[in-house]
Amino acid sequence: MAARHQRPSAASKSSAEAKRTDLKNNEKKCSWASYMTNSPLLIVMIGLPARGKTYMSKKLTRYLNWIGVPTKVFNLGEYRREAVQSYKSYDFFRHDNEEAMEIRKQCALVALQDVKTYLNTEGGQIAVFDATNTTRERRILILNFAQENTYKVFFVESICDDPDVIAENIMEVKVSSPDYPERDRESVMDDFLKRIECYKVTYQPLDKDQHDRNLSFIQVINVGRRFLVNRVQDYIQSKIVYYLMNIHVHCHSIYLCRHGESQHNLERRIGGDSGLSERGKKFAVELKGFVKEHNLSDLKVWTSQLRCTIQTAEELGVPYEQWKILNEIDAGVCEEMTYKTIEEKYPQEFALRDQDKYHYRYPGGESYQDLVQRLEPVIMELERQGNVLVICHQAVMRCLLAYFLDKGADDLPYMKCPLHTVLKLTPVAYGCKVEMFDLKVEAVNTHRDRPLNKVRSNSMLPPLIRRNSFDPLSSQDQIKRPRLYSMGSMHSHSHVFPPPAFSGTRFSRVSEGAELQQREDSLNGFSTPDTEEGST
Amino acid sequence: ACASAALKDVAAYFTKEYGQVAVFDATNTTRERRAVINSFAKERGYKVFFVESICDDPEIITENIKQVKFGSPDYIDRDIEEAMTDFVQRIECYKASYTSIDDEKDRKLSYIKIFDVGSRYLVNQVQDHIQSRIVYYLMNIHVTPRSIYLSRHGESELNLLGRIGGDSGLSPRGLKYADALAVFIRDQQIKDLKVWTSHMKRTIQTAEALGVQYEQWKALNEIDAGVCEELTYEEIQENFPEEFAMRDQEKYRYRYPKGESYEDLVHRLEPVIMELERQENVLVICHQAIMRCLIAYFLDKPADELPYLRCPLHTVLKLTPVAYGCKVESFFLNIEAVNTHREKPTNVTISRKSDEALQTVPKHN
């Protein structure tokens, strides 16, 4: 990842300047045109233990990374465990335990140093500081740290007074924590509750009316029953707020599967809009049995607007909803071709795709990266919903799966999503349980493995004219990538407009873009994933 | 009494006119009134979502009064000072009996409280998807004065030939327009202007002339005409006469085979709209159908008018939100261009003759 060297105005800013002016100025500089000084964001969790901070931190981080914003969680508990090799009891957390307090403060400082490294030199855009941060003193320390480094700060406070929720949290995640390796449940619960009491003594919640009224934050109250949102500064904070307001902790399962085998599948063609083959129809029938067997209450069924998914859903005999944005990836000029034909007709394109399958965009079509952006509303709605069965397509399913299983761009396009197999995802603790159900109906294998030899070609491709897509693209794709070849301009330099900080696209690549002209080991001389070199 | 009359109309809207959402715009400042509304809704199985706006900033209030109350039918003949005093006293009358939504007592209600025009929000018990979208929307709008500039790309080569769609470059006149646009923008002296284009050559070429950073949005690409891409209207009539007629019958919902409809466009432009709401000064360089959709949003034009809104080439539309609507100023930058606007012809039946179909096609090379 390229280092983000300069933040020109930051160096000259004195920390004596009012934080608000600083933030406001940074915001102006964060205008998409001034990507070079786009401030990283420090999300600071606040809350007593067992309030879901880590749950929200991890989930939020997974979401932000999926939409392309490099984000990392820094969990203070982990730092503390390293510093204090073995945890004895809640006494460590007493507020009058001076020695322990000092250790804990040191841990915080070390963690913040790591945050700084991540945001300044490792291409991170957002750091999530996952700790209780329950005292004003600690928060001031963090605010000063952020100001020195010109990071924006957004607080996420989780407030919960429902004893049942707290008890359940403790059982789900604390009992199996490294702090309690051999304890029995009762004593774990007991010790942990006492630990919480230690924090309560010095807990100062955010004060929206006086002390903290100029800070940017969201208070999540009783697991989302209520939210207080204060001073959202920019687009990414508004997305974070929206996301946090849509997630919930109710038990539910998400079922993902592809349409039944289609005619095109049989002919080894990609894309298109063909109907089900005989075996595909059989699968639909099996799927109906599967749904019945699993006895899902209030199951919602979603399909794309392509025939094969609709035909599959029809067989279920229940109401289903068609989403255009669940349509398969648009292969542009390669639509309805076999891989063999593509290799013959467009050998360069074929090779480019294998080099970087995630970012490669078919001429006149889409890339996996485009897909992720267009699928975002689906993810948001899946978070909101209860039990859902999504009948979709190979590339689409890979993107959805990558979100739930936290797979990055390298792995996503090679995830195995075979036909006639249902994946059941059940959120547990901090992750997702996956169960695979093969419905035992034969089908072709449409999976193309990662090629072993990635041939890197250094030759510049002739400028390919971009065409409109043949099939309607979905509504939600917004690709804010610099165009490699805009007509009417002689310099390739002026075209590397780093993608602006919109919709969470790669803030870090933003700085890469401008620096990239010098890189050599890349496709067409540009290695930023955001340029369209793969598809032009 | 007025309230119950209004509520009756709400009921009629839902039951007889298939309305989905009714916005009951009144002060509703007493618990009593809100209880009435709640029971009205409960009886009929409607969901209720409260939007409370709380503002203590005297400057904002004065500005609001000036902007919207003085034009109100209530104050049409009054002198400004007098009107201001009268209105301020009106507010005092309400204050006496104003009970804000109580976060404790009303914790079962679904509501959003907006403080000081969006500096803070309190959101309680969002029940479903539409309420979450409403909250998201309300949290993204602002009242900071700004202007949105909408323009099409300069005249393109395909425009000259009367062909739709495609991805051609600018014609010589189009290039002239790009330069004129640069001058225009400079003269407007806009603070912190953001410039957006689509992914298509012609908008990018236009933006290039401005010499400033711009952002490319795929969502701003022109409507995909599918099988009709790059055809002239004459060729469409020759090859797809039925499709051509069907499009004239219902231009908003008609989807080109393997292409899109205006309805599809509106759907794909939603994130653009949301971001336009969040932003301040923006110049959007886009395409005819796209511009129509954006204008329809800002000027509240219905679906049947949308596809026929006039968006000529080489003309910049400046939209400035004021009061309850949008002030529109049109700037023709004095560079000649073809006309690409096709009015709805008189005969839209499938059986119509060729010349009837082509009656309204604008001239081209």
Side-chain angles (χ1 to χ4, degrees):
Chain A
M1 278 286 195
R4 186 190 294 111
H5 344 283
Q6 59 289 55
R7 221 166 271 130
S9 51
S12 55
K13 272 208 185 313
S14 78
S15 45
E17 267 184 34
K19 175 175 174 288
R20 189 128 74 110
T21 334
D22 204 356
L23 280 180
K24 204 154 200 301
N25 286 342
N26 280 341
E27 195 181 326
K28 298 277 182 223
K29 277 182 223 83
C30 285
S31 67
W32 304 344
S34 22
Y35 44 86
M36 290 304 272
T37 55
N38 194 352
S39 311
L41 174 65
L42 179 59
I43 297 177
V44 181
M45 306 302 292
I46 304 175
L48 295 171
R51 262 57 178 181
K53 296 185 297 299
T54 304
Y55 175 79
M56 280 194 283
S57 302
K58 290 195 177 203
K59 216 169 147 88
L60 183 60
T61 300
R62 177 162 55 89
Y63 168 70
L64 290 169
N65 278 315
W66 184 76
I67 63 173
V69 185
T71 309
K72 190 169 167 186
V73 180
F74 295 83
N75 176 289
L76 199 51
E78 285 168 22
Y79 285 83
R80 189 257 306 154
R81 275 187 277 278
E82 253 199 59
V84 180
Q85 286 306 321
S86 104
Y87 172 74
K88 301 276 184 332
S89 81
Y90 75 92
D91 283 320
F92 183 83
F93 290 99
R94 291 173 53 138
H95 72 286
D96 52 359
N97 182 340
E98 277 194 31
E99 195 192 319
M101 290 294 266
E102 193 47 40
I103 295 177
R104 290 159 71 193
K105 182 167 178 207
Q106 281 310 311
C107 288
L109 293 172
V110 171
L112 288 177
Q113 279 312 305
D114 285 350
V115 164
K116 186 170 173 180
T117 311
Y118 176 65
L119 295 179
N120 290 8
T121 61
E122 290 175 19
Q125 182 60 36
I126 301 183
V128 182
F129 190 51
D130 177 17
T132 51
N133 297 318
T134 40
T135 60
R136 264 187 209 155
E137 190 194 324
R138 172 58 57 86
R139 298 196 288 265
I140 288 174
L141 183 133
I142 298 171
L143 282 167
N144 288 339
F145 163 80
Q147 183 172 32
E148 275 165 25
N149 291 287
T150 56
Y151 303 148
K152 286 185 174 176
V153 182
F154 188 74
F155 292 95
V156 178
E157 181 168 20
S158 175
I159 297 171
C160 184
D161 51 25
D162 184 336
D164 291 331
V165 173
I166 297 170
E168 180 154 346
N169 284 355
I170 297 178
M171 289 315 282
E172 249 209 63
V173 292
K174 301 303 179 186
V175 164
S176 51
S177 145
D179 285 343
Y180 299 101
E182 283 134 28
R183 307 276 202 90
D184 69 279
R185 297 192 152 198
E186 295 252 337
S187 56
V188 168
M189 181 68 85
D190 189 63
D191 184 276
F192 206 84
L193 287 172
K194 292 209 180 90
R195 199 153 122 177
I196 297 179
E197 292 304 313
C198 296
Y199 279 95
K200 271 192 188 168
V201 178
T202 50
Y203 182 19
Q204 293 159 296
L206 287 174
D207 175 17
K208 67 183 194 302
D209 295 311
Q210 287 301 324
H211 193 265
D212 302 309
R213 71 181 184 287
N214 288 328
L215 298 182
S216 298
F217 63 83
I218 179 172
Q219 280 177 322
V220 180
I221 298 149
N222 282 330
V223 205
R225 216 162 296 164
R226 174 183 300 176
F227 302 92
L228 183 82
V229 181
N230 199 58
R231 297 200 182 266
V232 169
Q233 299 166 321
D234 61 15
Y235 183 81
I236 194 65
Q237 287 178 22
S238 110
K239 291 232 24 120
I240 289 166
V241 162
Y242 186 48
Y243 182 73
L244 290 175
M245 286 174 60
N246 279 316
I247 59 179
H248 64 76
V249 294
H250 307 137
C251 259
H252 68 136
S253 288
I254 293 161
Y255 296 80
L256 300 180
C257 75
R258 289 167 68 187
H259 51 84
E261 182 190 69
S262 71
Q263 293 297 341
H264 271 19
N265 288 146
L266 278 179
E267 294 167 30
R268 306 242 159 244
R269 294 181 179 283
I270 63 171
D273 192 12
S274 59
L276 295 180
S277 68
E278 280 313 306
R279 299 196 292 197
K281 290 183 189 153
K282 250 188 113 209
F283 167 71
V285 175
E286 291 300 313
L287 187 62
K288 179 179 184 174
F290 175 84
V291 169
K292 266 215 176 77
E293 196 190 303
H294 278 243
N295 219 354
L296 302 159
S297 64
D298 290 324
L299 179 71
K300 293 237 163 76
V301 179
W302 297 352
T303 69
S304 70
Q305 287 186 358
L306 297 174
R307 233 176 283 175
C308 46
T309 57
I310 295 173
Q311 281 181 325
T312 311
E314 277 287 311
E315 188 57 44
L316 303 179
V318 296
Y320 60 90
E321 211 185 311
Q322 296 175 21
W323 291 64
K324 189 171 178 185
I325 52 183
L326 283 174
N327 279 9
E328 181 58 315
I329 191 171
D330 183 352
V333 299
C334 299
E335 275 286 316
E336 308 201 57
M337 294 187 181
T338 62
Y339 284 120
K340 199 154 163 282
T341 316
I342 300 175
E343 197 169 6
E344 282 163 27
K345 272 190 94 174
Y346 302 103
Q348 257 171 342
E349 294 294 326
F350 195 67
L352 282 173
R353 187 159 202 254
D354 279 341
Q355 285 183 38
D356 189 357
K357 197 170 175 189
Y358 182 74
H359 297 103
Y360 171 81
R361 189 192 276 168
Y362 284 106
E366 297 175 294
S367 63
Y368 271 97
Q369 189 180 43
D370 295 335
L371 260 199
V372 161
Q373 294 206 296
R374 95 154 126 98
L375 285 169
E376 210 230 316
V378 175
I379 289 296
M380 201 65 89
E381 199 49 28
L382 279 173
E383 287 292 347
R384 288 193 54 81
Q385 292 289 340
N387 294 322
V388 185
L389 165 63
V390 185
I391 304 173
C392 54
H393 307 266
Q394 184 168 247
V396 170
M397 188 162 158
R398 283 171 171 157
C399 292
L400 296 178
L401 210 51
Y403 166 75
F404 287 106
L405 304 183
D406 205 12
K407 297 291 181 193
D410 273 339
D411 295 324
L412 191 162
Y414 297 102
M415 293 178 79
K416 285 211 157 61
C417 296
L419 287 165
H420 300 184
T421 310
V422 181
L423 246 57
K424 175 180 177 182
L425 304 166
T426 314
V428 290
Y430 298 141
C432 225
K433 179 170 87 169
V434 192
E435 293 163 82
M436 203 157 169
F437 298 90
D438 177 358
L439 297 200
K440 301 267 186 283
V441 179
E442 284 292 311
V444 296
N445 174 19
T446 58
H447 185 89
R448 251 189 97 241
D449 265 319
R450 204 190 294 260
L452 294 164
N453 289 328
K454 278 197 178 193
V455 177
R456 288 277 176 112
S457 125
N458 277 333
S459 57
M460 293 281 282
L461 273 187
L464 287 176
I465 315 295
R466 286 194 58 76
R467 286 135 76 168
N468 283 336
S469 58
F470 292 109
D471 288 306
L473 290 180
S474 85
S475 341
Q476 320 298 29
D477 44 2
Q478 325 132 17
I479 316 304
K480 294 143 294 298
R481 242 174 258 131
R483 287 200 36 101
L484 192 58
Y485 303 98
S486 0
M487 299 306 286
S489 175
M490 290 299 121
H491 319 287
S492 55
H493 276 322
S494 54
H495 300 310
V496 188
F497 296 113
F502 177 76
S503 185
T505 21
R506 296 118 190 106
F507 292 48
S508 60
R509 286 180 234 220
V510 148
S511 54
E512 268 193 314
E515 294 158 346
L516 272 179
Q517 280 88 335
Q518 298 82 30
R519 291 262 203 106
E520 279 171 15
D521 61 325
S522 51
L523 314 161
N524 303 332
F526 290 97
S527 75
T528 184
D530 297 275
T531 57
E532 300 167 350
E533 77 277 17
S535 51
T536 45
Chain B
C2 301
S4 35
L7 290 178
K8 274 215 182 69
D9 286 347
V10 166
Y13 178 64
F14 285 150
T15 47
K16 302 198 190 109
E17 298 173 50
Y18 306 109
Q20 276 292 133
V21 180
V23 182
F24 189 51
D25 176 18
T27 52
N28 297 320
T29 40
T30 60
R31 295 185 64 78
E32 195 185 73
R33 170 60 57 84
R34 298 196 289 267
V36 165
I37 298 173
N38 258 326
S39 27
F40 163 83
K42 194 159 175 198
E43 276 168 45
R44 291 168 180 72
Y46 304 152
K47 287 185 180 169
V48 183
F49 189 73
F50 291 96
V51 178
E52 178 166 12
S53 175
I54 297 169
C55 183
D56 292 319
D57 184 337
E59 274 182 38
I60 298 180
I61 297 174
T62 315
E63 186 59 36
N64 283 353
I65 298 177
K66 283 210 199 105
Q67 270 218 19
V68 292
K69 297 306 175 187
F70 292 157
S72 146
D74 288 345
Y75 289 101
I76 219 124
D77 294 317
R78 307 275 206 100
D79 148 79
I80 286 211
E81 292 268 330
E82 202 190 305
M84 179 68 87
T85 331
D86 184 276
F87 201 82
V88 169
Q89 281 176 346
R90 204 155 120 178
I91 297 179
E92 291 302 314
C93 294
Y94 278 98
K95 269 198 189 163
S97 54
Y98 181 22
T99 349
S100 179
I101 293 183
D102 186 313
D103 295 328
E104 260 316 297
K105 294 198 210 135
D106 295 319
R107 69 183 181 283
K108 292 233 157 59
L109 299 181
S110 299
Y111 61 86
I112 178 172
K113 280 193 192 177
I114 304 172
F115 296 88
D116 293 328
V117 207
S119 114
R120 182 192 307 166
Y121 305 91
L122 181 76
V123 181
N124 197 62
Q125 297 272 41
V126 169
Q127 298 168 329
D128 61 15
H129 176 82
I130 191 66
Q131 287 180 19
S132 114
R133 300 291 305 174
I134 290 168
V135 164
Y136 185 47
Y137 183 75
L138 290 174
M139 287 174 61
N140 279 318
I141 58 182
H142 67 78
V143 293
T144 317
R146 51 86 174 247
S147 290
I148 296 166
Y149 296 79
L150 301 179
S151 161
R152 288 170 67 189
H153 52 82
E155 182 190 69
S156 73
E157 297 289 353
L158 285 181
N159 285 147
L160 278 179
L161 300 172
R163 294 183 175 283
I164 64 173
D167 193 13
S168 60
L170 297 181
S171 70
R173 296 194 296 197
L175 288 165
K176 277 224 194 89
Y177 172 70
D179 292 329
L181 183 62
V183 173
F184 171 79
I185 291 296
R186 229 169 298 158
D187 290 344
Q188 286 276 309
Q189 298 194 318
I190 307 157
K191 187 168 84 107
D192 287 333
L193 179 71
K194 303 251 165 67
V195 179
W196 296 354
T197 69
S198 68
H199 273 200
M200 294 174 151
K201 245 184 271 172
R202 49 200 192 275
T203 56
I204 293 172
Q205 265 185 291
T206 312
E208 285 280 315
L210 302 177
V212 297
Q213 299 285 10
Y214 57 89
E215 201 207 347
Q216 298 167 21
W217 289 63
K218 192 171 186 183
L220 287 173
N221 278 7
E222 181 58 314
I223 191 170
D224 185 349
V227 299
C228 297
E229 275 286 317
E230 306 202 41
L231 300 183
T232 62
Y233 287 118
E234 289 85 354
E235 284 163 359
I236 299 177
Q237 169 60 23
E238 202 185 306
N239 293 298
F240 308 101
E242 277 180 22
E243 294 291 329
F244 201 37
M246 291 200 304
R247 186 161 202 252
D248 283 335
Q249 288 173 22
E250 219 188 333
K251 197 172 176 187
Y252 181 73
R253 301 190 59 200
Y254 171 83
R255 189 186 280 164
Y256 282 107
K258 293 195 158 214
E260 296 176 295
S261 63
Y262 272 96
E263 197 173 18
D264 294 331
L265 271 195
V266 161
H267 198 230
R268 91 155 129 97
L269 284 170
E270 204 246 328
V272 176
I273 293 291
M274 198 62 92
E275 197 51 25
L276 277 173
E277 286 293 353
R278 286 191 55 81
Q279 289 295 329
E280 296 186 12
N281 292 319
V282 186
L283 164 64
V284 185
I285 303 174
C286 55
H287 307 265
Q288 183 166 249
I290 298 289
M291 193 158 155
R292 283 171 172 157
C293 293
L294 294 177
I295 291 179
Y297 167 74
F298 286 106
L299 304 183
D300 205 12
K301 298 291 181 191
D304 53 336
E305 276 180 50
L306 190 164
Y308 296 102
L309 293 172
R310 273 186 189 281
C311 296
L313 285 166
H314 299 186
T315 309
V316 181
L317 238 58
K318 176 179 176 180
L319 303 169
T320 313
V322 292
Y324 297 144
C326 232
K327 178 170 91 170
V328 191
E329 295 163 82
S330 178
F331 301 91
F332 173 57
L333 298 198
N334 258 320
I335 315 266
E336 287 300 311
V338 296
N339 171 26
T340 56
H341 186 92
R342 190 178 156 263
E343 279 297 349
K344 184 171 175 170
T346 340
N347 189 346
V348 298
T349 60
I350 302 185
S351 56
R352 67 188 177 177
K353 297 207 233 6
S354 220
D355 54 338
E356 288 175 303
L358 299 173
Q359 178 196 19
T360 52
V361 172
K363 292 203 204 2
H364 57 87
N365 292 351

